[in-house]
mmCIF file of all heavy atoms in Angstrom:
data_model
loop_
_atom_site.group_PDB
_atom_site.id
_atom_site.type_symbol
_atom_site.label_atom_id
_atom_site.label_comp_id
_atom_site.label_asym_id
_atom_site.label_seq_id
_atom_site.Cartn_x
_atom_site.Cartn_y
_atom_site.Cartn_z
ATOM 1 N N PHE V 778 -15.538 0.676 19.650
ATOM 2 C CA PHE V 778 -16.896 0.165 19.533
ATOM 3 C C PHE V 778 -17.104 -0.961 20.669
ATOM 4 O O PHE V 778 -18.023 -0.960 21.345
ATOM 5 C CB PHE V 778 -17.134 -0.563 18.204
ATOM 6 C CG PHE V 778 -18.448 -1.250 18.087
ATOM 7 C CD1 PHE V 778 -19.489 -0.660 17.810
ATOM 8 C CD2 PHE V 778 -18.434 -2.716 18.189
ATOM 9 C CE1 PHE V 778 -20.820 -1.367 17.846
ATOM 10 C CE2 PHE V 778 -19.586 -3.406 18.267
ATOM 11 C CZ PHE V 778 -20.814 -2.685 18.035
ATOM 12 N N MET V 779 -16.083 -1.889 20.880
ATOM 13 C CA MET V 779 -16.251 -2.841 21.880
ATOM 14 C C MET V 779 -16.184 -2.236 23.280
ATOM 15 O O MET V 779 -16.794 -2.726 24.120
ATOM 16 C CB MET V 779 -15.057 -3.907 21.595
ATOM 17 C CG MET V 779 -15.272 -4.813 20.430
ATOM 18 S SD MET V 779 -14.056 -6.128 20.271
ATOM 19 C CE MET V 779 -12.448 -5.231 19.991
ATOM 20 N N ALA V 780 -15.367 -1.295 23.393
ATOM 21 C CA ALA V 780 -15.249 -0.620 24.718
ATOM 22 C C ALA V 780 -16.608 0.155 25.099
ATOM 23 O O ALA V 780 -17.202 -0.069 26.204
ATOM 24 C CB ALA V 780 -14.184 0.404 24.788
ATOM 25 N N LEU V 781 -17.208 0.718 24.098
ATOM 26 C CA LEU V 781 -18.435 1.445 24.351
ATOM 27 C C LEU V 781 -19.669 0.523 24.635
ATOM 28 O O LEU V 781 -20.513 0.890 25.183
ATOM 29 C CB LEU V 781 -18.760 2.569 23.225
ATOM 30 C CG LEU V 781 -17.670 3.662 23.197
ATOM 31 C CD1 LEU V 781 -17.856 4.390 21.909
ATOM 32 C CD2 LEU V 781 -17.929 4.600 24.432
ATOM 33 N N THR V 782 -19.579 -0.515 23.856
ATOM 34 C CA THR V 782 -20.934 -1.414 23.728
ATOM 35 C C THR V 782 -20.815 -2.583 24.696
ATOM 36 O O THR V 782 -21.796 -3.158 25.150
ATOM 37 C CB THR V 782 -21.073 -1.907 22.353
ATOM 38 O OG1 THR V 782 -20.064 -2.682 21.965
ATOM 39 C CG2 THR V 782 -21.340 -0.810 21.386
ATOM 40 N N THR V 783 -19.523 -3.004 25.189
ATOM 41 C CA THR V 783 -19.464 -4.331 25.925
ATOM 42 C C THR V 783 -18.672 -4.068 27.145
ATOM 43 O O THR V 783 -19.175 -4.467 28.166
ATOM 44 C CB THR V 783 -18.778 -5.310 24.966
ATOM 45 O OG1 THR V 783 -19.519 -5.432 23.750
ATOM 46 C CG2 THR V 783 -18.730 -6.696 25.671
ATOM 47 N N TRP V 784 -17.485 -3.521 27.055
ATOM 48 C CA TRP V 784 -16.537 -3.550 28.223
ATOM 49 C C TRP V 784 -16.684 -2.348 29.099
ATOM 50 O O TRP V 784 -16.463 -2.426 30.276
ATOM 51 C CB TRP V 784 -15.139 -3.633 27.595
ATOM 52 C CG TRP V 784 -14.947 -5.036 27.005
ATOM 53 C CD1 TRP V 784 -14.922 -5.213 25.732
ATOM 54 C CD2 TRP V 784 -14.750 -6.293 27.797
ATOM 55 N NE1 TRP V 784 -14.652 -6.617 25.422
ATOM 56 C CE2 TRP V 784 -14.548 -7.368 26.681
ATOM 57 C CE3 TRP V 784 -14.633 -6.682 29.032
ATOM 58 C CZ2 TRP V 784 -14.339 -8.602 26.957
ATOM 59 C CZ3 TRP V 784 -14.496 -7.904 29.251
ATOM 60 C CH2 TRP V 784 -14.276 -8.904 28.296
ATOM 61 N N GLY V 785 -16.815 -1.258 28.570
ATOM 62 C CA GLY V 785 -16.838 0.060 29.214
ATOM 63 C C GLY V 785 -15.427 0.593 29.536
ATOM 64 O O GLY V 785 -14.461 -0.107 29.080
ATOM 65 N N TRP V 786 -15.283 1.772 30.054
ATOM 66 C CA TRP V 786 -14.055 2.387 30.229
ATOM 67 C C TRP V 786 -13.408 2.155 31.711
ATOM 68 O O TRP V 786 -12.366 2.743 32.020
ATOM 69 C CB TRP V 786 -14.089 3.879 30.068
ATOM 70 C CG TRP V 786 -14.524 4.187 28.746
ATOM 71 C CD1 TRP V 786 -15.592 4.674 28.074
ATOM 72 C CD2 TRP V 786 -13.501 4.070 27.528
ATOM 73 N NE1 TRP V 786 -15.522 4.781 26.888
ATOM 74 C CE2 TRP V 786 -14.224 4.446 26.343
ATOM 75 C CE3 TRP V 786 -12.162 3.697 27.487
ATOM 76 C CZ2 TRP V 786 -13.659 4.408 25.096
ATOM 77 C CZ3 TRP V 786 -11.587 3.642 26.234
ATOM 78 C CH2 TRP V 786 -12.351 4.027 25.080
ATOM 79 N N ASN V 787 -14.018 1.230 32.430
ATOM 80 C CA ASN V 787 -13.408 1.032 33.682
ATOM 81 C C ASN V 787 -12.559 -0.248 33.724
ATOM 82 O O ASN V 787 -12.328 -0.788 34.730
ATOM 83 C CB ASN V 787 -14.582 0.863 34.793
ATOM 84 C CG ASN V 787 -15.489 -0.174 34.412
ATOM 85 O OD1 ASN V 787 -15.418 -0.688 33.166
ATOM 86 N ND2 ASN V 787 -16.417 -0.622 35.383
ATOM 87 N N GLN V 788 -12.036 -0.458 32.657
ATOM 88 C CA GLN V 788 -11.094 -1.703 32.513
ATOM 89 C C GLN V 788 -9.729 -1.217 32.202
ATOM 90 O O GLN V 788 -9.425 -0.511 31.179
ATOM 91 C CB GLN V 788 -11.521 -2.521 31.176
ATOM 92 C CG GLN V 788 -12.926 -3.023 31.332
ATOM 93 C CD GLN V 788 -13.248 -3.951 32.325
ATOM 94 O OE1 GLN V 788 -12.384 -4.793 32.668
ATOM 95 N NE2 GLN V 788 -14.438 -3.935 32.994
ATOM 96 N N ALA V 789 -8.823 -1.543 33.149
ATOM 97 C CA ALA V 789 -7.358 -1.122 33.049
ATOM 98 C C ALA V 789 -6.742 -1.565 31.693
ATOM 99 O O ALA V 789 -6.042 -0.736 31.098
ATOM 100 C CB ALA V 789 -6.572 -1.670 34.199
ATOM 101 N N TRP V 790 -7.066 -2.732 31.338
ATOM 102 C CA TRP V 790 -6.332 -3.294 30.097
ATOM 103 C C TRP V 790 -6.849 -2.490 28.898
ATOM 104 O O TRP V 790 -6.012 -2.290 27.968
ATOM 105 C CB TRP V 790 -6.498 -4.798 29.957
ATOM 106 C CG TRP V 790 -7.994 -5.152 29.990
ATOM 107 C CD1 TRP V 790 -8.871 -5.387 31.032
ATOM 108 C CD2 TRP V 790 -8.819 -5.439 28.726
ATOM 109 N NE1 TRP V 790 -10.105 -5.808 30.600
ATOM 110 C CE2 TRP V 790 -10.169 -5.881 29.156
ATOM 111 C CE3 TRP V 790 -8.595 -5.210 27.487
ATOM 112 C CZ2 TRP V 790 -11.188 -6.040 28.308
ATOM 113 C CZ3 TRP V 790 -9.552 -5.547 26.497
ATOM 114 C CH2 TRP V 790 -10.799 -5.982 27.045
ATOM 115 N N ILE V 791 -7.985 -1.980 28.888
ATOM 116 C CA ILE V 791 -8.447 -1.147 27.677
ATOM 117 C C ILE V 791 -7.750 0.107 27.758
ATOM 118 O O ILE V 791 -7.237 0.646 26.780
ATOM 119 C CB ILE V 791 -9.905 -1.059 27.807
ATOM 120 C CG1 ILE V 791 -10.586 -2.344 27.522
ATOM 121 C CG2 ILE V 791 -10.342 -0.024 26.856
ATOM 122 C CD1 ILE V 791 -12.200 -2.374 27.716
ATOM 123 N N ASP V 792 -7.740 0.786 28.918
ATOM 124 C CA ASP V 792 -7.169 2.093 29.072
ATOM 125 C C ASP V 792 -5.740 2.091 28.728
ATOM 126 O O ASP V 792 -5.268 2.996 27.979
ATOM 127 C CB ASP V 792 -7.393 2.733 30.479
ATOM 128 C CG ASP V 792 -8.891 2.845 30.672
ATOM 129 O OD1 ASP V 792 -9.755 2.946 29.966
ATOM 130 O OD2 ASP V 792 -9.182 2.984 31.981
ATOM 131 N N LEU V 793 -4.979 1.159 29.166
ATOM 132 C CA LEU V 793 -3.538 1.023 28.938
ATOM 133 C C LEU V 793 -3.329 0.784 27.476
ATOM 134 O O LEU V 793 -2.372 1.270 26.982
ATOM 135 C CB LEU V 793 -2.870 0.036 29.954
ATOM 136 C CG LEU V 793 -2.647 0.636 31.310
ATOM 137 C CD1 LEU V 793 -1.924 -0.453 32.208
ATOM 138 C CD2 LEU V 793 -1.746 1.860 31.342
ATOM 139 N N SER V 794 -4.090 -0.254 26.923
ATOM 140 C CA SER V 794 -3.875 -0.579 25.553
ATOM 141 C C SER V 794 -4.078 0.686 24.639
ATOM 142 O O SER V 794 -3.269 0.937 23.624
ATOM 143 C CB SER V 794 -4.683 -1.646 25.043
ATOM 144 O OG SER V 794 -4.447 -2.840 25.781
ATOM 145 N N LEU V 795 -5.136 1.393 24.970
ATOM 146 C CA LEU V 795 -5.357 2.465 24.175
ATOM 147 C C LEU V 795 -4.345 3.634 24.206
ATOM 148 O O LEU V 795 -3.985 4.121 23.236
ATOM 149 C CB LEU V 795 -6.770 3.163 24.471
ATOM 150 C CG LEU V 795 -7.212 4.352 23.809
ATOM 151 C CD1 LEU V 795 -7.402 4.221 22.285
ATOM 152 C CD2 LEU V 795 -8.634 4.998 24.404
ATOM 153 N N GLY V 796 -3.841 3.799 25.444
ATOM 154 C CA GLY V 796 -2.782 4.688 25.790
ATOM 155 C C GLY V 796 -1.540 4.395 24.966
ATOM 156 O O GLY V 796 -0.959 5.165 24.356
ATOM 157 N N ILE V 797 -1.258 3.028 24.839
ATOM 158 C CA ILE V 797 0.039 2.636 24.260
ATOM 159 C C ILE V 797 -0.124 2.780 22.715
ATOM 160 O O ILE V 797 0.780 3.286 22.010
ATOM 161 C CB ILE V 797 0.252 1.074 24.506
ATOM 162 C CG1 ILE V 797 0.583 0.904 26.075
ATOM 163 C CG2 ILE V 797 1.256 0.513 23.601
ATOM 164 C CD1 ILE V 797 1.894 1.684 26.468
ATOM 165 N N LEU V 798 -1.335 2.601 22.276
ATOM 166 C CA LEU V 798 -1.647 2.844 20.787
ATOM 167 C C LEU V 798 -1.395 4.279 20.404
ATOM 168 O O LEU V 798 -0.720 4.571 19.596
ATOM 169 C CB LEU V 798 -3.023 2.311 20.313
ATOM 170 C CG LEU V 798 -3.458 2.527 18.924
ATOM 171 C CD1 LEU V 798 -2.473 1.717 18.029
ATOM 172 C CD2 LEU V 798 -4.862 2.166 18.800
ATOM 173 N N VAL V 799 -1.961 5.150 21.195
ATOM 174 C CA VAL V 799 -1.829 6.641 21.007
ATOM 175 C C VAL V 799 -0.332 7.121 21.141
ATOM 176 O O VAL V 799 0.167 7.707 20.223
ATOM 177 C CB VAL V 799 -2.786 7.359 22.064
ATOM 178 C CG1 VAL V 799 -2.401 8.884 21.897
ATOM 179 C CG2 VAL V 799 -4.266 7.119 21.609
ATOM 180 N N ILE V 800 0.356 6.609 22.168
ATOM 181 C CA ILE V 800 1.685 7.034 22.392
ATOM 182 C C ILE V 800 2.655 6.468 21.147
ATOM 183 O O ILE V 800 3.491 7.207 20.736
ATOM 184 C CB ILE V 800 2.190 6.480 23.867
ATOM 185 C CG1 ILE V 800 1.516 7.311 24.883
ATOM 186 C CG2 ILE V 800 3.728 6.606 23.801
ATOM 187 C CD1 ILE V 800 1.734 6.615 26.300
ATOM 188 N N LEU V 801 2.480 5.235 20.959
ATOM 189 C CA LEU V 801 3.219 4.713 19.714
ATOM 190 C C LEU V 801 2.743 5.524 18.436
ATOM 191 O O LEU V 801 3.747 5.621 17.592
ATOM 192 C CB LEU V 801 2.930 3.131 19.648
ATOM 193 C CG LEU V 801 3.617 2.406 20.615
ATOM 194 C CD1 LEU V 801 3.184 0.870 20.452
ATOM 195 C CD2 LEU V 801 5.054 2.599 21.003
ATOM 196 N N GLY V 802 1.670 5.774 18.187
ATOM 197 C CA GLY V 802 1.126 6.493 17.053
ATOM 198 C C GLY V 802 1.770 7.893 17.020
ATOM 199 O O GLY V 802 2.043 8.334 15.839
ATOM 200 N N ILE V 803 2.208 8.362 18.144
ATOM 201 C CA ILE V 803 2.740 9.694 18.166
ATOM 202 C C ILE V 803 4.337 9.563 18.008
ATOM 203 O O ILE V 803 4.936 10.259 17.237
ATOM 204 C CB ILE V 803 2.456 10.568 19.409
ATOM 205 C CG1 ILE V 803 0.891 10.838 19.383
ATOM 206 C CG2 ILE V 803 3.250 11.770 19.512
ATOM 207 C CD1 ILE V 803 0.303 11.437 20.593
#
Side-chain angles (χ1 to χ4, degrees):
F778 174 82
M779 290 185 292
L781 291 170
T782 62
T783 303
W784 294 101
W786 290 108
N787 57 349
Q788 305 293 326
W790 57 274
I791 291 174
D792 296 345
L793 282 177
S794 295
L795 178 60
I797 292 300
L798 178 66
V799 169
I800 289 169
L801 293 177
I803 293 169

